[in-house]
């Protein structure tokens, strides 16, 4: 089976403050459903209170990031599914729960991972 990344940037979730608890509850219900179905690998949200670091091949650490990922935030999950069609169905469930579109990406197969 293939692993899929389903994610969204934080700014995509434009939910009124009074609806945020309901969105969290709905999202947790979908994750519990994925766990019960045996397709959940891991997931979570990027902690925006902790700045990213760049760690070079020589171990040097700097307070920066790649320009194209400077605004990487929001939530994500990785599911292991039998097909892209199944991944689209799960992404739709998550989009409904989170009230925002989800980006779907497929991990390449690596027998060593």
């Amino acid at each position: 089976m293939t692993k899929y990344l389903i994610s969204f940037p934080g700014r995509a979730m434009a939910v009124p403050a009074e609806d945020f608890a309901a969105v969290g509850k709905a999202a947790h219900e979908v994750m519990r459903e994925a766990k019960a179905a045996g397709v959940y690998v891991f997931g979570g949200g990027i902690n925006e209170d902790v700045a990213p670091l760049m760690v070079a091949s020589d171990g040097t650490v700097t307070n920066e990031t790649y320009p194209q990922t400077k605004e990487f935030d929001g939530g994500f999950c990785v599911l292991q599914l039998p097909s892209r069609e199944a991944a689209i169905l799960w992404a739709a469930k998550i989009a409904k729960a989170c009230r925002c579109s989800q980006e779907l990406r497929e991990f390449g197969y690596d027998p060593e991972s």
Side-chain angles (χ1 to χ4, degrees):
M1 287 210 288
T2 303
K3 291 181 180 74
Y4 294 88
L5 173 66
I6 301 171
S7 64
F8 64 94
R11 67 188 174 284
M13 188 186 264
V15 176
E18 63 270 14
D19 293 345
F20 200 73
V23 169
K25 181 180 177 190
H28 289 135
E29 287 175 6
V30 174
M31 293 302 101
R32 283 192 293 275
E33 180 183 350
K35 289 175 183 178
V39 299
Y40 183 86
V41 178
F42 69 92
I46 302 297
N47 186 346
E48 296 177 39
D49 295 331
V50 178
L53 298 173
M54 185 73 74
V55 181
S57 60
D58 66 359
T60 302
V61 178
T62 54
N63 291 317
E64 62 180 326
T65 185
Y66 288 111
Q68 64 271 32
T69 62
K70 185 174 183 154
E71 296 183 30
F72 183 70
D73 61 6
F76 68 92
C77 71
V78 175
L79 302 181
Q80 188 165 323
L81 300 160
S83 68
R84 188 167 181 84
E85 292 75 21
I88 291 169
L89 293 174
W90 278 100
K93 289 180 184 190
I94 295 167
K96 182 176 181 180
C98 293
R99 301 183 191 176
C100 65
S101 296
Q102 301 292 304
E103 182 175 277
L104 177 65
R105 293 182 180 259
E106 183 175 315
F107 284 92
Y109 176 72
D110 180 352
E112 297 291 324
S113 64

